[in-house]
């Protein structure tokens, strides 16, 4: 995720630069089929030049996000499988995303985001977290 994308935490949306060990984040528990607060086990930041914008959600081409049915999707499914062992399909316009508040958020625009940028991911017990209100994979 691009460093500007806010993480949904127990105190509201937060920058990755402000996440501390005592702040819990929203995550999806697939066993219980419900969202819950979890601890951030690790914050990982890396510079990337392969970012895409999914209606303003800025992420790397291999960063998996989830549909409202919890299907894994991303810009480059081949890279997600190669880099993280995640089987995903290509994201397409019209996909409905899994959102924190349960609202309908449909993908309308997919475009390349040029340049090299600082990105992050979070390691949580559920291997996912919500960023900008969308369920995203932790990829670690």
């Amino acid at each position: 995720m691009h460093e500007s994308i806010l993480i949904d935490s127990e105190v509201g949306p937060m920058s990755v630069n402000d996440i501390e060990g005592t702040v819990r984040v929203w995550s999806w528990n697939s066993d219980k089929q419900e969202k819950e607060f979890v601890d951030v086990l690790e914050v990982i930041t890396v510079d990337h030049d392969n970012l895409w914008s999914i209606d303003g959600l800025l992420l790397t081409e291999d960063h998996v996000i989830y549909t409202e049915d919890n299907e894994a999707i991303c810009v480059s499914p081949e890279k997600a499988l190669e880099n993280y062992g995640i089987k995903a399909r290509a994201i397409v316009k019209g996909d409905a995303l899994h959102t924190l508040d349960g609202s309908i958020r449909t993908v309308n625009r997919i475009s390349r985001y040029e340049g090299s940028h600082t990105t992050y991911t979070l390691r949580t017990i559920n291997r996912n977290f919500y960023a900008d209100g969308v369920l995203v994979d932790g990829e670690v």
Side-chain angles (χ1 to χ4, degrees), residues 112-124:
R112 183 81 163 90
Y113 190 72
E114 297 297 333
S116 182
H117 305 275
T118 300
T119 64
Y120 73 87
T121 193
L122 305 179
R123 187 167 65 88
T124 68

Side-chain angles (χ1 to χ4, degrees), residues 9 16 21 36 47-48 53 59 75 79-80 83 101-104 111-112 116 121 124 126 130 140:
S9 78
V16 67
E36 64 186 4
D47 287 338
H48 280 106
S53 173
L59 60 153
V75 173
K79 296 267 180 150
N83 294 337
D101 65 6
S103 64
I104 302 297
S111 60
R112 183 81 163 90
S116 182
T121 193
T124 68
N126 293 333
Y130 287 86
V140 285

Side-chain angles (χ1 to χ4, degrees), residues 3-5 7 14-20 43 45 118 120:
E3 68 179 335
S4 68
I5 303 301
I7 300 161
M14 292 187 72
S15 166
V16 67
N17 300 316
D18 297 328
I19 291 290
E20 300 172 6
V43 176
T45 58
T118 300
Y120 73 87

Side-chain angles (χ1 to χ4, degrees), residues 58-136:
L58 305 173
L59 60 153
T60 56
E61 65 188 349
D62 58 355
H63 201 122
V64 169
I65 61 178
Y66 293 93
T67 67
E68 64 184 349
D69 297 324
N70 294 322
E71 181 181 13
I73 58 175
C74 67
V75 173
S76 178
E78 302 80 20
K79 296 267 180 150
L81 184 60
E82 177 184 329
N83 294 337
Y84 307 110
I86 300 172
K87 292 181 181 177
R89 70 163 171 81
I91 191 168
V92 296
K93 290 179 185 178
D95 277 333
L97 302 179
H98 179 136
T99 60
L100 179 61
D101 65 6
S103 64
I104 302 297
R105 186 162 169 185
T106 304
V107 174
N108 295 302
R109 184 170 179 186
I110 304 166
S111 60
R112 183 81 163 90
Y113 190 72
E114 297 297 333
S116 182
H117 305 275
T118 300
T119 64
Y120 73 87
T121 193
L122 305 179
R123 187 167 65 88
T124 68
I125 193 168
N126 293 333
R127 192 185 165 153
N128 63 57
F129 58 99
Y130 287 86
D132 191 29
V134 174
L135 182 62
V136 302

Side-chain angles (χ1 to χ4, degrees), residues 32-49:
K32 295 179 181 177
Q33 291 294 297
E34 65 185 21
K35 62 186 177 184
E36 64 186 4
F37 288 121
V38 296
D39 292 328
V40 174
L41 304 174
E42 183 178 11
V43 176
I44 301 162
T45 58
V46 180
D47 287 338
H48 280 106
D49 63 358

